[in-house]
Amino acid sequence: MRITALAGGVGGARFLRGLLAHLAASPDPARREAQVTVVSNTADDVTFHGLRISPDLDSVMYTLGGGIDEVRGWGRAQESSGVADELAAYGAEPSWFTLGDKDIATHLVRTRMLAEGATLSEVTAHLCARWAPGVRLLPMTDDVVETHVDLADGPDGAERRVHFQEWWVRLHAAVPAVRIEAVGAEQASPAPGVLDALREADVVVLPPSNPVVSIGTVLQVPGIRRAIVETAAPVVGVSPVIAGAPVRGMADACLAAIGVPTTAAAVAGLYADFLDGWLIAAGDEAPTRPGLVVRRRPLLMSSPTATAELAGAALDLALELAGRERAA
Amino acid sequence: MRITALAGGVGGARFLRGLLAHLAASPDPARREAQVTVVSNTADDVTFHGLRISPDLDSVMYTLGGGIDEVRGWGRAQESSGVADELAAYGAEPSWFTLGDKDIATHLVRTRMLAEGATLSEVTAHLCARWAPGVRLLPMTDDVVETHVDLADGPDGAERRVHFQEWWVRLHAAVPAVRIEAVGAEQASPAPGVLDALREADVVVLPPSNPVVSIGTVLQVPGIRRAIVETAAPVVGVSPVIAGAPVRGMADACLAAIGVPTTAAAVAGLYADFLDGWLIAAGDEAPTRPGLVVRRRPLLMSSPTATAELAGAALDLALELAGRERAA
């Protein structure tokens, strides 16, 4: 079985870890031997201190490879700040973006390889050779795409544009975004293997990642959305919203910026052209689009067991839909 | 009083610290208010892991700024190896060049500024704004000059060329060098302020730095040697050789590569066209060039006091020579 998942950062990475745990423990040989490909958002990539940083790729790689800081949910466990403290002593900016020493080594390898002409796909494969995340981890594109955000917090509401990370990390998305743009997305090409992984998948899964700045930017890379629309595989997603609030992070601020309500039904609407199955929380209103199969399941990834069960439920729904397809 | 010194790394930095200590403690107001400019070798600069590293500039900056590791003599005190351990885990090469976390911050600032178009002079001034080394620290050039070494350690004596750092740090200069070349030196220009600092100096000092790969490369930058030959200031040096052996480091291996004996007299011969005064150890043979004034002094920089006395002796000799000049 070939499973292809789109993913953002922390939430996506945790869901994927649950998926791998579910597959490994399954009595079904087809699930135990399933091959998982992850198409990662790269639009929150950023260059700080000359280092090229790919937060979402690294969150998936560290989480699945056993190096993640479990408490923060991002970055490396048992981190130190030898470099960062010194950068601060030099007055180097930005000082609000935390870079641990272990993490910096990853960025040094990436930055050097990119400077030497390697693609981000090649860099990611090299880094993953160490981490062995148990999935094939692909960036959505090898081209540079960066999400920028327009804020209207200047005098008299004057707008200014900042990198997504500045809005997200420095401002905690507390300043309303007027506009969110994945700069470079329209000119980008899917990275090698991405379209095939979607076309040839038996199941396509959307973890509960941010529908705007994670899944949303992946879908903006020309060809990816069409490949998902056209794939024969069932496409099943997990709502990132419970009872009108994001499960994790500040997806509500992103949804507000694009004028979409923070509800499980509204997020499903963003995927209306390809979504076959949708998992929502018990108390939430189901979207009513004909042909969309909705199931209510506990969505909180509160423990490894709960997360594995959630991933299993998504897979169950997908295989049920595939069976219907075959029976029809 | 304006004092201009050429300098390499560890030995030069320690001598300069002694010089500043001597000046600060002097009863002579002219010495206490002396301005010291240091022209640093940059030919052992190297790029590892994408980081631009300037070992000699940093040794002077850290030593005079109070950040040096006193035991090793180079790098930062109380270092950690969070980044280096992870680089090793990725299999990143070279693994034999030690980069501490604190030190890496310096290289990140330098690398980013250079990439943004700053000159090495500008980078050095920026870094020194934090370290306040008490001297004006100038790179010998803003151009890229790198010392490469030809080794004949291949099968049947086949030659190969390595960066100086590989010969020095990885091979401990144990493999004889066939040839040492400061690549790029002939096309380089002195950094801003270097020639004026030599022409307008009241005293020019050569610390006991390596006469081949430190002082020697500084002298190879077009215009610098001529400025030293032509300056009205007395030029006084301290022998880096005692009793046929280098005081520190492996200068004998460098001298052998250029066919010069490891003696205080032979090193003075390398500076024959400009050297006015020369400090050697008690038991060493004095060079006999007419006009060169030789003094025997304890050369071992075995304590801060001994180092300050040595620097004071060099300055005493220089001022004595300047007085003779004026009297003549």
Side-chain angles (χ1 to χ4, degrees):
Chain A
M1 190 190 324
R2 291 158 298 185
I3 303 172
T4 298
L6 311 189
V10 182
R14 286 195 173 158
F15 178 87
L16 291 167
R17 185 165 58 180
L19 178 62
L20 292 185
H22 166 78
L23 294 172
S26 172
D28 174 6
R31 294 198 188 197
R32 280 203 308 279
E33 290 157 23
Q35 304 290 314
V36 180
T37 298
V38 176
V39 178
S40 169
N41 173 47
T42 60
D44 55 357
D45 288 15
V46 68
T47 301
F48 287 142
H49 308 294
L51 297 168
R52 190 64 181 165
I53 303 167
S54 296
D56 283 359
L57 281 168
D58 288 351
S59 284
V60 172
M61 182 174 79
Y62 292 159
T63 300
L64 301 186
I68 198 78
D69 182 314
E70 297 288 350
V71 177
R72 296 184 301 184
W74 51 269
R76 294 288 309 280
Q78 295 165 323
E79 261 295 15
S80 52
S81 61
V83 177
D85 293 347
E86 289 295 310
L87 287 173
Y90 281 119
E93 292 292 340
S95 55
W96 46 265
F97 195 87
T98 307
L99 285 175
D101 296 327
K102 293 178 199 284
D103 197 34
I104 283 174
T106 300
H107 310 320
L108 278 171
V109 172
R110 176 183 295 115
T111 304
R112 178 187 53 76
M113 288 185 71
L114 290 173
E116 290 171 358
T119 63
L120 185 57
S121 293
E122 291 165 345
V123 172
T124 303
H126 176 75
L127 296 171
C128 284
R130 170 184 173 202
W131 288 104
V135 302
R136 187 165 60 123
L137 179 59
L138 305 178
M140 65 185 197
T141 180
D142 284 336
D143 300 318
V144 173
V145 178
E146 289 194 357
T147 299
H148 291 183
V149 179
D150 290 327
L151 309 176
D153 60 351
D156 298 324
E159 289 189 17
R160 65 186 179 117
R161 174 159 279 211
V162 299
H163 190 285
F164 169 73
Q165 296 293 353
E166 182 163 356
W167 182 55
W168 201 250
V169 176
R170 183 184 203 178
L171 303 173
H172 307 289
V175 177
V178 176
R179 202 173 295 106
I180 297 177
E181 181 183 351
V183 178
E186 286 178 17
Q187 295 77 43
S189 301
V194 167
L195 296 184
D196 284 348
L198 293 165
R199 291 180 187 131
E200 298 166 3
D202 297 301
V203 173
V204 173
V205 179
L206 274 57
S209 292
N210 189 306
V212 182
V213 296
S214 294
I215 306 287
T217 49
V218 176
L219 293 172
Q220 280 182 61
V221 176
I224 291 186
R225 188 172 197 119
R226 175 177 296 269
I228 298 176
V229 168
E230 294 180 353
T231 186
V235 182
V236 171
V238 178
S239 172
V241 172
I242 302 176
V247 176
R248 184 195 161 89
M250 302 163 287
D252 46 344
C254 299
L255 287 164
I258 62 167
V260 172
T262 303
T263 67
V267 173
L270 296 172
Y271 308 145
D273 48 336
F274 56 73
L275 195 66
D276 300 307
W278 189 233
L279 298 189
I280 66 173
D284 274 333
E285 194 175 345
T288 54
R289 180 170 59 79
L292 174 64
V293 178
V294 178
R295 291 283 153 74
R296 291 190 164 80
R297 290 286 181 279
L299 298 192
L300 282 179
M301 299 189 287
S302 50
S303 71
T305 305
T307 309
E309 285 176 1
L310 175 60
L315 195 53
D316 288 344
L317 177 55
L319 295 177
E320 178 190 326
L321 295 174
R324 282 191 201 177
E325 187 81 11
R326 275 193 294 276
Chain B
M1 189 189 326
R2 290 159 298 184
I3 303 172
T4 299
L6 311 190
V10 181
R14 286 194 174 160
F15 178 87
L16 290 167
R17 185 165 57 181
L19 177 63
L20 292 186
H22 166 80
L23 294 172
S26 173
D28 174 6
R31 294 198 188 198
R32 279 205 307 280
E33 291 157 21
Q35 304 291 313
V36 180
T37 298
V38 177
V39 178
S40 170
N41 173 46
T42 59
D44 55 357
D45 287 15
V46 68
T47 301
F48 287 142
H49 307 295
L51 297 168
R52 190 63 181 166
I53 303 166
S54 296
D56 283 0
L57 281 168
D58 288 351
S59 284
V60 172
M61 182 173 78
Y62 292 159
T63 299
L64 301 185
I68 199 78
D69 183 314
E70 296 288 350
V71 177
R72 295 184 302 185
W74 51 269
R76 295 288 308 280
Q78 295 166 323
E79 261 295 15
S80 52
S81 62
V83 177
D85 293 346
E86 289 293 311
L87 288 173
Y90 281 119
E93 293 292 340
S95 55
W96 45 264
F97 194 87
T98 306
L99 285 175
D101 296 327
K102 293 177 200 283
D103 197 32
I104 283 174
T106 300
H107 309 320
L108 277 172
V109 172
R110 176 184 295 116
T111 304
R112 177 187 54 76
M113 288 184 70
L114 290 173
E116 290 170 357
T119 64
L120 185 57
S121 294
E122 291 165 343
V123 171
T124 303
H126 176 76
L127 295 172
C128 284
R130 171 184 172 198
W131 289 104
V135 301
R136 187 166 60 124
L137 178 59
L138 305 178
M140 66 185 195
T141 179
D142 284 336
D143 300 318
V144 173
V145 178
E146 288 195 358
T147 299
H148 291 184
V149 179
D150 290 327
L151 309 177
D153 59 352
D156 300 322
E159 289 189 15
R160 64 183 179 119
R161 173 158 280 211
V162 298
H163 190 285
F164 169 73
Q165 295 293 354
E166 182 163 357
W167 182 56
W168 200 249
V169 177
R170 183 184 204 178
L171 303 172
H172 306 288
V175 177
V178 175
R179 203 172 296 106
I180 297 177
E181 182 183 350
V183 178
E186 287 178 17
Q187 295 77 43
S189 301
V194 167
L195 296 185
D196 283 347
L198 293 165
R199 291 180 187 131
E200 298 167 4
D202 298 300
V203 173
V204 173
V205 180
L206 273 55
S209 292
N210 190 305
V212 183
V213 295
S214 294
I215 305 288
T217 49
V218 176
L219 294 172
Q220 280 181 59
V221 177
I224 290 186
R225 189 173 198 117
R226 174 176 297 269
I228 298 175
V229 168
E230 294 180 353
T231 186
V235 181
V236 171
V238 178
S239 172
V241 172
I242 302 175
V247 176
R248 184 194 161 90
M250 303 164 284
D252 46 345
C254 299
L255 288 164
I258 63 168
V260 171
T262 302
T263 67
V267 173
L270 295 172
Y271 308 143
D273 47 338
F274 56 73
L275 195 66
D276 300 306
W278 190 231
L279 298 189
I280 65 173
D284 274 334
E285 194 174 345
T288 54
R289 181 168 58 81
L292 174 63
V293 178
V294 177
R295 291 283 153 75
R296 290 191 165 79
R297 290 287 180 277
L299 298 192
L300 282 180
M301 299 188 286
S302 50
S303 71
T305 305
T307 309
E309 285 176 0
L310 174 61
L315 195 53
D316 288 344
L317 177 54
L319 295 177
E320 177 191 328
L321 296 175
R324 284 192 200 174
E325 189 80 10
R326 276 194 292 275

